[in-house]
Amino acid sequence: MNLHAVRAIYRFEMARTWRTLMQSILSPVLSTSLYFVVFGAAIGSRIAEVDGVNYGAFIVPGLIMLSLLTQSIANASFGIYFPRFVGTIYELLSAPISPLEIVLGYVGAAATKSIILGLIILATAAVCVPLSIAHPFWMLAFLVLTAVTFSLFGFIIGIWADNFEKLQVIPLLIITPLTFLGGSFYSVNMLPPFWQTVSMFNPVVYLISGFRWSFYGIADVSVGLSLAMTLAFLVLCLATVWWIFRTGYRLKA
Amino acid sequence: MSTTCRDLCSSAISNQGQRAADKTSPASLVYRVRMPPIISVSNLSKTYASGFCALKGITLDIRRGEIFALLGPNGAGKTTLIGIVCGIVNATEGRVWVDGHDILASYRAARSLIGLVPQELSTDAFESVWATVSFSRGLFGKPPNPGHIEKVLKDLSLWDKKDNQIMTLSGGMKRRVLIAKALSHEPQILFLDEPTAGVDVELRKDMWDIVRALKASGVTIILTTHYIEEAEEMADRIGVINKGELILVEEKHELMRKLGRKQLTLYLHKRHTALPPDLQDRGLELAADGSELVYTYDTQAERTGITTLLKDLSAAGITFKDLNTTQSSLEDIFVNLVRNAK
């Protein structure tokens, strides 16, 4: 295993985060904090509790998940797309490094950034709203699993995209709507039966439900199902990445 | 090393390019028979998805420690060939061994020996010179070695720029950064794809000095270039590639000796409007408004015909005040080869 290479990529990507601190960390933290201020302090006090949880606190897992998904995708997709865009990918392809090591470096760094971000948002939320974590281990497990899975997904997007528009289109047009409609701000049980059934086709529902369960012990779907869906998506992403490196799709001529 | 590779290695001296080398000293012959080529390319072909056939059955051996110049017009397949050896492009057919390691089956061992300086100035914009060169060393599996990075940067006159962001450097400096990145992991083989494209004359001379110094340190260098002058100046052997086919591989001096044609220019005492009938069809040409007579001859021919020509000119009453001979340059040879291949 070329651990020097994994470390080099990881450090290179993390250095980019610190260099762009405003964009990478502060900006998503600030925008998510605004949700807490608006829904937690201003509007939240006028909304009834959901499943016995204060509304401001109820939306915290969903909002962390929203940031986690979008930032994991953004970090990982940009991390691999930029070398392709500027041409420095030649060095990665000509180095004595395996696909697994490349993925470990890029996805590891992207997931690390997202987890740091998620934890900062969590700390910020704890200041703004009454927060409790019923299952800390599972909370961290869902956080890490989701960050890794969606960083892998972002990595795939970064290889698939051949322009900046494509890089943005999936996070903006698919992930964000799915997250908003995946129960970030409400319990799926509050919807009419028809829309409850439709929601079951939204994979983000399972992520948010499982993550919320780790906080408050309440869930829209069973925790086992949430975990299984997350793992299934992880396996799907791993298989796609394996196929990409096997065929050289969008990487090699 | 695989049997096939060993066969290739032992048969290497039979290829066109190496036949010439065999005529050199016996010691050199023994060395070359014993030392397998550092790169062996066998029947390599590449057809892109568009249907464009960039390489057609290339077979080539690169010797240890040599500077090999690959010449060819745009689109000839030079960069594709380099791309396949380095792992950037997938070959359609054929195999490549680097120091006996198959580039696919033993890609780690093969790639760790190679440094690549690409044609394009593809660099990170926001990283510092030091960071990007250190990154390259790590990527190639080498532990950090600040002493080596410092030496490479000093050798390339980049030391005082080590903390600068790459985006602030000139094109020539960026080219040096790419060389520094390629040398960061102490490669045994260096590919330079058009290293002096778009750089000024002074920097080009600097690059030549760098390449010579690398060769002196034992690095094998494969160089592609449009500048024939560059190949003529530096290469030990020359390969000419055109439309995906390797037209020729030859020792540079041998190539120039074999294919070089000489011209004898006679500066006449009087202007002549036409040649006497006896002297026509002898490869003679009147130039400079009839004040010069140019005779083109083959240096390899048994008889160059110069003695007879001078005798006949004297008999015809054509006298000259001076004479000059010139040998065709590598550029002339290259242009002729490519033209004949069309």
PDB file of all heavy atoms in Angstrom, chain B residues 47 70 101 119 139 158 161 227 234 314:
ATOM      1  N   THR B  47      -6.029   2.887 -30.771  1.00  0.00           N
ATOM      2  CA  THR B  47      -7.108   3.449 -31.574  1.00  0.00           C
ATOM      3  C   THR B  47      -8.080   4.122 -30.610  1.00  0.00           C
ATOM      4  O   THR B  47      -8.572   3.474 -29.679  1.00  0.00           O
ATOM      5  CB  THR B  47      -7.831   2.352 -32.377  1.00  0.00           C
ATOM      6  OG1 THR B  47      -6.860   1.653 -33.159  1.00  0.00           O
ATOM      7  CG2 THR B  47      -8.885   2.942 -33.298  1.00  0.00           C
ATOM      8  N   LEU B  70      12.385  11.672 -29.721  1.00  0.00           N
ATOM      9  CA  LEU B  70      11.301  11.190 -30.572  1.00  0.00           C
ATOM     10  C   LEU B  70      10.787  12.381 -31.376  1.00  0.00           C
ATOM     11  O   LEU B  70      10.230  13.326 -30.812  1.00  0.00           O
ATOM     12  CB  LEU B  70      10.200  10.601 -29.684  1.00  0.00           C
ATOM     13  CG  LEU B  70       9.128   9.754 -30.342  1.00  0.00           C
ATOM     14  CD1 LEU B  70       9.738   8.555 -31.078  1.00  0.00           C
ATOM     15  CD2 LEU B  70       8.139   9.266 -29.303  1.00  0.00           C
ATOM     16  N   HIS B 101       9.512  -4.566 -15.781  1.00  0.00           N
ATOM     17  CA  HIS B 101       8.191  -4.619 -15.144  1.00  0.00           C
ATOM     18  C   HIS B 101       7.102  -4.297 -16.172  1.00  0.00           C
ATOM     19  O   HIS B 101       7.152  -3.236 -16.804  1.00  0.00           O
ATOM     20  CB  HIS B 101       8.089  -3.608 -14.001  1.00  0.00           C
ATOM     21  CG  HIS B 101       9.182  -3.747 -12.982  1.00  0.00           C
ATOM     22  ND1 HIS B 101       9.257  -4.810 -12.114  1.00  0.00           N
ATOM     23  CD2 HIS B 101      10.246  -2.959 -12.703  1.00  0.00           C
ATOM     24  CE1 HIS B 101      10.317  -4.677 -11.344  1.00  0.00           C
ATOM     25  NE2 HIS B 101      10.946  -3.554 -11.684  1.00  0.00           N
ATOM     26  N   GLN B 119       3.490  18.024 -21.781  1.00  0.00           N
ATOM     27  CA  GLN B 119       3.606  19.089 -22.771  1.00  0.00           C
ATOM     28  C   GLN B 119       2.920  20.368 -22.290  1.00  0.00           C
ATOM     29  O   GLN B 119       3.456  21.456 -22.413  1.00  0.00           O
ATOM     30  CB  GLN B 119       2.940  18.585 -24.052  1.00  0.00           C
ATOM     31  CG  GLN B 119       3.203  19.402 -25.268  1.00  0.00           C
ATOM     32  CD  GLN B 119       2.608  18.717 -26.498  1.00  0.00           C
ATOM     33  OE1 GLN B 119       2.466  17.503 -26.558  1.00  0.00           O
ATOM     34  NE2 GLN B 119       2.252  19.497 -27.467  1.00  0.00           N
ATOM     35  N   LEU B 139       3.280  11.345  -3.648  1.00  0.00           N
ATOM     36  CA  LEU B 139       2.402  10.620  -4.571  1.00  0.00           C
ATOM     37  C   LEU B 139       3.121   9.411  -5.169  1.00  0.00           C
ATOM     38  O   LEU B 139       2.506   8.382  -5.460  1.00  0.00           O
ATOM     39  CB  LEU B 139       1.964  11.576  -5.688  1.00  0.00           C
ATOM     40  CG  LEU B 139       0.683  11.269  -6.429  1.00  0.00           C
ATOM     41  CD1 LEU B 139      -0.488  11.197  -5.483  1.00  0.00           C
ATOM     42  CD2 LEU B 139       0.428  12.310  -7.502  1.00  0.00           C
ATOM     43  N   LEU B 158      15.029  27.333  -8.698  1.00  0.00           N
ATOM     44  CA  LEU B 158      13.687  27.620  -8.172  1.00  0.00           C
ATOM     45  C   LEU B 158      13.713  27.887  -6.665  1.00  0.00           C
ATOM     46  O   LEU B 158      12.666  28.123  -6.066  1.00  0.00           O
ATOM     47  CB  LEU B 158      12.757  26.417  -8.428  1.00  0.00           C
ATOM     48  CG  LEU B 158      12.191  26.256  -9.821  1.00  0.00           C
ATOM     49  CD1 LEU B 158      11.533  24.888  -9.964  1.00  0.00           C
ATOM     50  CD2 LEU B 158      11.191  27.353 -10.146  1.00  0.00           C
ATOM     51  N   LYS B 161      12.117  30.812  -5.231  1.00  0.00           N
ATOM     52  CA  LYS B 161      10.675  30.896  -5.511  1.00  0.00           C
ATOM     53  C   LYS B 161       9.899  29.844  -4.718  1.00  0.00           C
ATOM     54  O   LYS B 161       8.720  29.628  -4.975  1.00  0.00           O
ATOM     55  CB  LYS B 161      10.415  30.653  -7.006  1.00  0.00           C
ATOM     56  CG  LYS B 161      11.201  31.529  -7.943  1.00  0.00           C
ATOM     57  CD  LYS B 161      10.528  32.842  -8.161  1.00  0.00           C
ATOM     58  CE  LYS B 161      11.278  33.660  -9.198  1.00  0.00           C
ATOM     59  NZ  LYS B 161      10.861  35.053  -9.221  1.00  0.00           N
ATOM     60  N   TYR B 227      11.600  20.802 -32.203  1.00  0.00           N
ATOM     61  CA  TYR B 227      12.827  21.506 -32.584  1.00  0.00           C
ATOM     62  C   TYR B 227      13.909  20.498 -32.932  1.00  0.00           C
ATOM     63  O   TYR B 227      14.459  19.837 -32.066  1.00  0.00           O
ATOM     64  CB  TYR B 227      13.306  22.411 -31.448  1.00  0.00           C
ATOM     65  CG  TYR B 227      12.307  23.453 -31.046  1.00  0.00           C
ATOM     66  CD1 TYR B 227      11.652  23.380 -29.834  1.00  0.00           C
ATOM     67  CD2 TYR B 227      12.012  24.515 -31.897  1.00  0.00           C
ATOM     68  CE1 TYR B 227      10.720  24.329 -29.460  1.00  0.00           C
ATOM     69  CE2 TYR B 227      11.082  25.463 -31.541  1.00  0.00           C
ATOM     70  CZ  TYR B 227      10.434  25.371 -30.312  1.00  0.00           C
ATOM     71  OH  TYR B 227       9.516  26.302 -29.946  1.00  0.00           O
ATOM     72  N   MET B 234      21.260  17.333 -28.494  1.00  0.00           N
ATOM     73  CA  MET B 234      21.325  16.550 -27.273  1.00  0.00           C
ATOM     74  C   MET B 234      21.204  15.033 -27.423  1.00  0.00           C
ATOM     75  O   MET B 234      21.742  14.296 -26.612  1.00  0.00           O
ATOM     76  CB  MET B 234      20.214  16.992 -26.332  1.00  0.00           C
ATOM     77  CG  MET B 234      20.433  18.372 -25.779  1.00  0.00           C
ATOM     78  SD  MET B 234      19.390  18.655 -24.389  1.00  0.00           S
ATOM     79  CE  MET B 234      17.786  18.446 -25.084  1.00  0.00           C
ATOM     80  N   SER B 314      36.543  22.062 -65.821  1.00  0.00           N
ATOM     81  CA  SER B 314      37.769  22.669 -66.354  1.00  0.00           C
ATOM     82  C   SER B 314      37.793  22.546 -67.873  1.00  0.00           C
ATOM     83  O   SER B 314      38.121  23.505 -68.582  1.00  0.00           O
ATOM     84  CB  SER B 314      38.968  21.975 -65.712  1.00  0.00           C
ATOM     85  OG  SER B 314      40.142  22.484 -66.259  1.00  0.00           O
TER      86      SER B 314
END
